[in-house]
Coordinates of all heavy atoms in Angstrom, one line a residue:
L147 N -1.1 -11.3 0.0 CA -1.5 -12.5 -0.6 C -0.4 -13.3 -1.3 O 0.6 -12.6 -1.7 CB -2.6 -12.3 -1.7 CG -3.9 -11.5 -1.2 CD1 -4.8 -11.2 -2.4 CD2 -4.7 -12.4 -0.2
A148 N -0.5 -14.6 -1.4 CA 0.5 -15.4 -2.1 C -0.2 -16.3 -3.0 O -1.2 -17.0 -2.6 CB 1.4 -16.1 -1.1
L149 N 0.2 -16.3 -4.3 CA -0.3 -17.3 -5.3 C 0.7 -18.4 -5.4 O 1.9 -18.2 -5.8 CB -0.4 -16.5 -6.6 CG -0.8 -17.4 -7.8 CD1 -2.2 -18.1 -7.6 CD2 -0.9 -16.5 -9.1
W150 N 0.2 -19.6 -5.1 CA 1.1 -20.8 -5.1 C 0.8 -21.6 -6.4 O -0.4 -21.8 -6.8 CB 0.8 -21.7 -3.9 CG 1.3 -21.1 -2.7 CD1 0.7 -20.2 -1.8 CD2 2.6 -21.4 -2.1 NE1 1.6 -19.9 -0.8 CE2 2.7 -20.6 -0.9 CE3 3.7 -22.2 -2.5 CZ2 3.9 -20.6 -0.1 CZ3 4.8 -22.2 -1.7 CH2 4.9 -21.4 -0.6
S151 N 1.9 -21.9 -7.1 CA 1.7 -22.5 -8.5 C 2.8 -23.5 -8.8 O 3.9 -23.4 -8.2 CB 1.7 -21.4 -9.5 OG 1.8 -21.9 -10.8
V153 N 3.9 -23.5 -11.8 CA 4.5 -22.9 -13.0 C 5.5 -21.8 -12.5 O 5.1 -20.9 -11.7 CB 3.5 -22.3 -13.9 CG1 4.1 -21.6 -15.1 CG2 2.5 -23.4 -14.4
L155 N 7.1 -18.6 -13.8 CA 7.0 -17.6 -14.8 C 8.3 -16.8 -15.0 O 8.9 -16.4 -14.0 CB 5.9 -16.7 -14.5 CG 5.3 -15.8 -15.6 CD1 4.6 -16.7 -16.6 CD2 4.2 -14.8 -15.0
L163 N 2.9 -8.7 -17.3 CA 1.5 -9.0 -16.7 C 1.2 -8.0 -15.6 O 0.1 -7.5 -15.5 CB 1.5 -10.4 -16.1 CG 1.4 -11.5 -17.2 CD1 1.5 -12.8 -16.5 CD2 0.1 -11.4 -18.0
V164 N 2.2 -7.6 -14.7 CA 1.8 -6.9 -13.5 C 2.1 -5.4 -13.7 O 1.5 -4.6 -12.9 CB 2.6 -7.4 -12.3 CG1 2.3 -8.9 -12.1 CG2 4.1 -7.1 -12.4
R167 N -0.7 -2.9 -13.6 CA -1.2 -2.7 -12.2 C -0.3 -2.0 -11.3 O -0.7 -1.5 -10.3 CB -1.7 -4.0 -11.6 CG -2.9 -4.6 -12.2 CD -2.6 -5.4 -13.4 NE -3.8 -6.0 -14.0 CZ -3.8 -6.6 -15.2 NH1 -2.7 -6.6 -16.0 NH2 -5.0 -7.0 -15.7
D227 N -1.6 -29.0 -7.8 CA -2.6 -27.9 -7.8 C -2.0 -26.6 -7.3 O -2.5 -25.6 -7.5 CB -3.8 -28.3 -6.8 CG -4.6 -29.4 -7.4 OD1 -4.7 -29.5 -8.6 OD2 -5.3 -30.1 -6.6
Y233 N 4.3 -16.7 -5.6 CA 4.3 -15.3 -6.0 C 3.7 -14.5 -4.9 O 2.4 -14.4 -4.8 CB 3.4 -15.2 -7.3 CG 4.0 -16.0 -8.5 CD1 3.6 -17.3 -8.7 CD2 4.8 -15.4 -9.5 CE1 4.1 -18.1 -9.7 CE2 5.3 -16.1 -10.5 CZ 4.9 -17.5 -10.7 OH 5.4 -18.2 -11.7
A266 N -4.6 -7.4 -4.8 CA -5.5 -8.4 -5.3 C -5.5 -8.4 -6.8 O -5.5 -9.5 -7.5 CB -6.9 -8.2 -4.8
R267 N -5.4 -7.3 -7.5 CA -5.4 -7.2 -8.9 C -4.1 -7.8 -9.5 O -4.1 -8.4 -10.6 CB -5.6 -5.8 -9.4 CG -7.0 -5.2 -9.1 CD -7.0 -3.7 -9.3 NE -8.3 -3.2 -8.8 CZ -8.5 -1.9 -8.4 NH1 -7.5 -1.1 -8.4 NH2 -9.6 -1.5 -7.9
V268 N -3.0 -7.6 -8.8 CA -1.7 -8.2 -9.3 C -1.9 -9.8 -9.3 O -1.5 -10.4 -10.2 CB -0.6 -7.8 -8.4 CG1 0.7 -8.6 -8.7 CG2 -0.3 -6.3 -8.6
V269 N -2.4 -10.3 -8.2 CA -2.6 -11.8 -8.1 C -3.6 -12.2 -9.2 O -3.3 -13.2 -9.8 CB -3.1 -12.1 -6.7 CG1 -3.5 -13.6 -6.6 CG2 -2.0 -11.8 -5.6
A270 N -4.7 -11.5 -9.3 CA -5.7 -11.9 -10.4 C -5.1 -11.8 -11.8 O -5.4 -12.6 -12.6 CB -6.9 -11.0 -10.3
A271 N -4.1 -10.9 -12.0 CA -3.5 -10.8 -13.3 C -2.6 -12.0 -13.6 O -2.4 -12.4 -14.7 CB -2.7 -9.5 -13.4
L272 N -2.0 -12.6 -12.5 CA -1.1 -13.7 -12.7 C -1.8 -15.0 -12.9 O -1.3 -16.0 -13.5 CB -0.1 -13.8 -11.5 CG 0.9 -12.7 -11.3 CD1 1.6 -12.8 -9.9 CD2 1.9 -12.7 -12.4
M273 N -3.0 -15.2 -12.3 CA -3.6 -16.5 -12.3 C -3.9 -17.1 -13.6 O -3.7 -18.3 -13.8 CB -4.9 -16.4 -11.5 CG -4.7 -16.2 -10.0 SD -6.2 -16.7 -9.0 CE -6.1 -18.4 -9.1
P274 N -4.3 -16.3 -14.7 CA -4.5 -17.0 -16.0 C -3.3 -17.6 -16.6 O -3.3 -18.5 -17.3 CB -5.1 -15.8 -16.8 CG -5.7 -14.9 -15.9 CD -4.8 -14.9 -14.7
A275 N -2.1 -17.0 -16.2 CA -0.8 -17.5 -16.7 C -0.3 -18.7 -16.0 O 0.4 -19.5 -16.6 CB 0.2 -16.3 -16.8
V276 N -0.5 -18.7 -14.7 CA 0.2 -19.8 -13.9 C -0.8 -20.6 -13.1 O -0.4 -21.6 -12.5 CB 1.2 -19.1 -12.9 CG1 2.2 -18.3 -13.7 CG2 0.5 -18.3 -11.8
G277 N -2.1 -20.3 -13.0 CA -3.0 -21.1 -12.3 C -2.7 -21.0 -10.8 O -2.3 -20.0 -10.3
G278 N -3.0 -22.1 -10.1 CA -2.6 -22.2 -8.7 C -3.7 -21.8 -7.7 O -4.9 -21.7 -8.0
V279 N -3.3 -21.6 -6.5 CA -4.1 -21.4 -5.3 C -3.7 -20.1 -4.6 O -2.5 -19.9 -4.4 CB -4.1 -22.6 -4.4 CG1 -5.1 -22.4 -3.2 CG2 -4.5 -23.8 -5.1
V280 N -4.6 -19.3 -4.1 CA -4.3 -18.1 -3.4 C -4.5 -18.3 -1.9 O -5.5 -18.9 -1.4 CB -5.2 -16.9 -3.8 CG1 -4.8 -15.7 -3.1 CG2 -5.1 -16.7 -5.3
V281 N -3.5 -17.9 -1.1 CA -3.5 -18.0 0.4 C -3.2 -16.6 0.9 O -2.3 -15.9 0.4 CB -2.4 -19.0 0.8 CG1 -2.4 -19.1 2.4 CG2 -2.7 -20.4 0.2
V288 N -8.0 -18.3 -0.1 CA -8.8 -17.2 -0.6 C -9.5 -17.7 -1.8 O -8.9 -18.0 -2.8 CB -7.9 -15.9 -0.9 CG1 -8.7 -14.8 -1.6 CG2 -7.2 -15.4 0.3
S289 N -10.8 -17.7 -1.8 CA -11.6 -18.2 -2.9 C -11.6 -17.3 -4.1 O -11.3 -16.1 -3.9 CB -13.0 -18.5 -2.4 OG -13.7 -17.2 -2.2
P290 N -11.9 -17.7 -5.3 CA -12.0 -16.8 -6.4 C -13.0 -15.7 -6.2 O -12.8 -14.5 -6.6 CB -12.4 -17.7 -7.6 CG -11.9 -19.1 -7.2 CD -12.0 -19.1 -5.7
A291 N -14.1 -16.0 -5.5 CA -15.1 -14.9 -5.2 C -14.5 -13.9 -4.3 O -14.7 -12.7 -4.5 CB -16.4 -15.6 -4.6
L293 N -11.3 -13.2 -3.9 CA -10.3 -12.5 -4.6 C -11.0 -11.4 -5.5 O -10.5 -10.3 -5.6 CB -9.5 -13.4 -5.5 CG -8.3 -12.8 -6.2 CD1 -7.3 -12.2 -5.3 CD2 -7.7 -13.8 -7.2
G294 N -12.1 -11.8 -6.1 CA -12.8 -10.8 -7.0 C -13.3 -9.6 -6.2 O -13.2 -8.5 -6.6
T297 N -10.4 -7.3 -5.4 CA -10.0 -6.4 -6.6 C -10.9 -5.2 -6.7 O -10.5 -4.2 -7.2 CB -10.0 -7.2 -7.9 OG1 -11.4 -7.6 -8.2 CG2 -9.1 -8.4 -7.8

Side-chain angles (χ1 to χ4, degrees):
L147 301 174
L149 173 59
W150 288 86
S151 171
V153 176
L155 198 64
L163 287 172
V164 306
R167 285 86 181 169
D227 292 335
Y233 299 84
R267 289 167 194 157
V268 170
V269 172
L272 292 172
M273 289 198 75
V276 302
V279 180
V280 182
V281 179
V288 175
S289 68
L293 182 63
T297 64

